[in-house]
Amino acid sequence: MHSLSPAVTPMDLPRLVMRRAVWVALAAWLLVLMLGLQRVSHDMQQEVAAADTVARLSALLARAPHEPDDARLLADIRRLLDVAPLRHLALRVRDASGAVLLDASKASTTPQPPLSWLLALHRAWLPARDSVPVGWALERAGQREWRVELTVSHESERAEAIENLAELLLLAAAGSVALLLAMAWNVRHAFDPMRSLLQAIGRLRGGEVGAMQRLPAMPIAELHAIGSALAELGSALEVAEQQRRALSRKVLTLQEDERQRIARELHDEFGQRLTALRADAAWLAQRVAGDAQATPVVASMAHQCARLQAEIRSLLERLQPAGLADPAEEASLLKLQCLLEDLVRAWNATPGAGVRFALELAATGFDGAAAHWPDASEADAVALPQALLLALYRMSQEALTNVARHANASAASLRLTLARQADGAVLHWQVSDDGAGLGSLPVALQRGNGLAGMRQRVWAFGSELTCEAVLDGTHARRGLRLSARFAVPFAALAGSPPDTVLAG
């Protein structure tokens, strides 16, 4: 049994698919970690700066009892808050009358969608309680006092938390997209060998059983197992088809042997008896000469014997043509040509046939250009397998019989083309007519033995019988064309000069 031999050990599909995905996931987590650490450093700097601002603000407020200049003190506080604003705190300073001297509330900026949608959703779902300001009296020089208020800002904290969450979601989405892209690329790359499997299966369905033997090594264990199974199946099918073709050729050989046996019995038994009967009829005609009643009867007997002998001779010719009388005789292209010429000539001489048959012979060279058909000496040097010659003759015989009996045609042609190739030659066989055509091929194959027999002969030699309609100038169906191709071994042309046989 045939099996695939991988250059490397195939890997399981889950492991192969997940391998790169794991690396992408690790890279995504590493990126998140690095960005997270950077975010931690940024938040830490902001927290430290805010704490430093609170400390410096406390120091400035501690100077208030000893600082007589209100404007200077307020300017120092504003300068400090401009450099490092308070974090999630709002500062207000009022005088004794309640007038606001300083308002250091951080203006909350409204983020753009979709962050604003997320922020509104969080505010509606988990609203925060209003903060109660923390205030105290601050003594000033000249027995005055200010009122200092600090208020916690929930909204600024909420906005900052939503921004952090959005960054995490964005990182997670980017990591997920990268992971999916990596897995998609990995799966596609892993299943690339599947295309060769599908192509091989398609060729196998088309009848090319050897396609499974040309499968490449599969890098995936599951595909390797499938490929090995298909290769073994293809090998088994190839062996079975070879056996079937050999059996088919054997059956055809047995048919020819039976035809030869029947032809010999007809010739030996009926031929001798009819000859003796005709001699007796001749003797009887002489004895009854002058008898007005017996003479016509005896003459009719002699005529019937002659007709019967002619019909048996015609039957013998169909069962075993003169060129095929000796199976041991060497077959050649000239022998096939003579047999086909005699076949066409016999059909044209048949009374009441109503169809004009023609034999067309053509040849092509290595470049596909038209060349002349080999003359008698050249054609006699081109050896053909005896079985192929017999198959071509029987196919032509059956095809012309079908045209004469069923096609209602006025003209038919039998065409044989010899095409030279690098590894031998190909014989193109074709029979076409201008008759009624063929309705359904499956029905025609089941309706009689003629077309099915031709198809069986063609298949036995590794080819396919093609049936197609002949179209006229208006693309209407008119007639039928049967064709097949047969490979001729290179050795069969060894005795023929290629420059004279197949080159014009």
Side-chain angles (χ1 to χ4, degrees):
M1 288 294 182
H2 179 82
S3 60
L4 301 178
S5 299
V8 296
T9 302
M11 186 179 297
D12 293 340
L13 181 60
R15 181 182 174 189
L16 183 64
V17 171
M18 295 303 298
R19 183 176 58 180
R20 292 186 180 89
V22 169
W23 285 108
V24 172
L26 291 177
W29 279 108
L30 181 61
L31 178 61
V32 171
L33 177 61
M34 293 176 60
L35 295 178
L37 291 176
Q38 184 178 4
R39 183 66 181 182
V40 167
S41 178
H42 177 69
D43 291 343
M44 182 179 65
Q45 291 177 359
Q46 286 187 335
E47 292 290 346
V48 170
D52 182 72
T53 300
V54 172
R56 294 179 182 275
L57 179 61
S58 300
L60 287 176
L61 294 178
R63 286 171 39 197
H66 309 288
E67 180 60 57
D69 189 352
D70 293 347
R72 180 178 178 181
L73 180 59
L74 292 174
D76 291 341
I77 295 175
R78 289 192 182 95
R79 192 181 306 111
L80 173 65
L81 296 179
D82 289 338
V83 175
L86 293 173
R87 186 177 173 86
H88 312 310
L89 290 175
L91 172 65
R92 286 186 180 85
V93 179
R94 303 174 186 272
D95 59 11
S97 63
V100 178
L101 300 177
L102 183 136
D103 188 354
S105 300
K106 184 179 180 181
S108 58
T109 58
T110 302
Q112 298 295 324
L115 291 183
S116 61
W117 304 337
L118 190 60
L119 185 63
L121 176 63
H122 186 269
R123 186 183 298 113
W125 183 28
L126 299 172
R129 294 178 299 174
D130 294 335
S131 299
V132 178
V134 177
W136 67 93
L138 180 65
E139 294 182 1
R140 293 289 290 126
Q143 295 181 349
R144 293 177 298 129
E145 70 176 20
W146 288 350
R147 179 72 180 175
V148 179
E149 295 178 355
L150 285 176
T151 307
V152 177
S153 176
H154 290 89
E155 289 303 315
S156 63
E157 180 66 27
R158 191 197 306 272
E160 184 175 332
I162 291 298
E163 290 179 0
N164 292 337
L165 177 61
E167 292 179 0
L168 290 177
L169 291 177
L170 184 61
L171 288 176
S176 299
V177 170
L179 184 60
L180 291 176
L181 290 176
M183 292 186 67
W185 180 87
N186 199 15
V187 170
R188 183 175 181 179
H189 178 71
F191 279 96
D192 276 344
M194 182 68 75
R195 297 179 183 176
S196 59
L197 284 176
L198 296 177
Q199 292 173 356
I201 292 174
R203 292 194 297 269
L204 179 63
R205 294 178 63 183
E208 188 179 348
V209 295
M212 294 300 175
Q213 312 304 322
R214 298 188 295 273
L215 285 174
M218 298 295 164
I220 302 175
E222 290 81 358
L223 294 183
H224 177 73
I226 295 174
S228 297
L230 289 176
E232 293 178 1
L233 175 61
S235 179
L237 287 176
E238 189 172 11
V239 172
E241 184 158 337
Q242 290 175 355
Q243 293 175 349
R244 288 177 58 202
R245 293 185 192 276
L247 179 60
S248 180
R249 289 193 292 269
K250 182 64 176 177
V251 170
L252 295 175
T253 302
L254 292 176
Q255 290 179 354
E256 293 300 326
D257 293 343
E258 184 65 16
R259 288 180 176 180
Q260 291 180 7
R261 186 187 65 80
I262 294 174
R264 283 195 302 268
E265 291 184 358
L266 287 174
H267 180 271
D268 296 342
E269 299 295 334
F270 285 88
Q272 294 179 7
R273 294 182 185 277
L274 284 173
T275 301
L277 187 59
R278 292 187 66 182
D280 292 343
W283 178 84
L284 185 59
Q286 294 177 358
R287 294 298 301 268
V288 298
D291 189 338
Q293 294 182 348
T295 298
V297 175
V298 174
S300 177
M301 290 175 57
H303 178 68
Q304 294 297 332
C305 289
R307 288 188 58 184
L308 184 58
Q309 194 170 29
E311 290 178 0
I312 291 179
R313 188 179 297 112
S314 177
L315 180 60
L316 289 174
E317 184 64 24
R318 291 196 300 270
L319 288 174
Q320 191 176 27
L324 298 178
D326 185 7
E329 183 181 349
E330 183 179 357
S332 66
L333 185 62
L334 178 61
K335 184 177 179 180
L336 175 62
Q337 177 182 340
C338 295
L339 286 172
L340 297 182
E341 288 174 348
D342 292 341
L343 179 63
V344 171
R345 188 182 303 110
W347 271 111
N348 284 328
T350 301
V355 185
R356 183 62 185 173
F357 295 93
L359 175 63
E360 301 176 4
L361 302 175
T364 59
F366 281 104
D367 56 355
H372 76 279
W373 182 263
D375 58 26
S377 60
E378 295 168 345
D380 189 48
V382 180
L384 292 179
Q386 179 74 18
L388 178 59
L389 182 145
L390 183 60
L392 287 168
Y393 176 80
R394 292 300 185 194
M395 288 167 52
S396 303
Q397 187 182 46
E398 186 62 43
L400 297 186
T401 302
N402 288 343
V403 171
R405 292 180 179 176
H406 310 296
N408 296 324
S410 60
S413 65
L414 168 60
R415 182 179 179 86
L416 199 65
T417 304
L418 181 64
R420 183 69 181 268
Q421 296 181 347
D423 55 348
V426 174
L427 273 174
H428 298 260
W429 174 89
Q430 178 182 295
V431 174
S432 57
D433 63 77
D434 61 353
L438 187 66
S440 173
L441 180 60
V443 173
L445 289 172
Q446 296 177 2
R447 185 170 53 195
N449 296 325
L451 194 59
M454 283 187 285
R455 190 179 189 184
Q456 183 70 16
R457 289 183 184 276
V458 173
W459 179 83
F461 284 90
S463 185
E464 293 291 335
L465 180 66
T466 302
C467 304
E468 55 185 350
V470 179
L471 304 179
D472 59 14
T474 60
H475 299 283
R477 294 170 61 91
R478 183 63 178 171
L480 179 67
R481 181 183 295 114
L482 303 177
S483 58
R485 297 162 52 94
F486 298 92
V488 179
F490 188 82
L493 300 176
S496 303
D499 55 341
T500 58
V501 174
L502 296 172

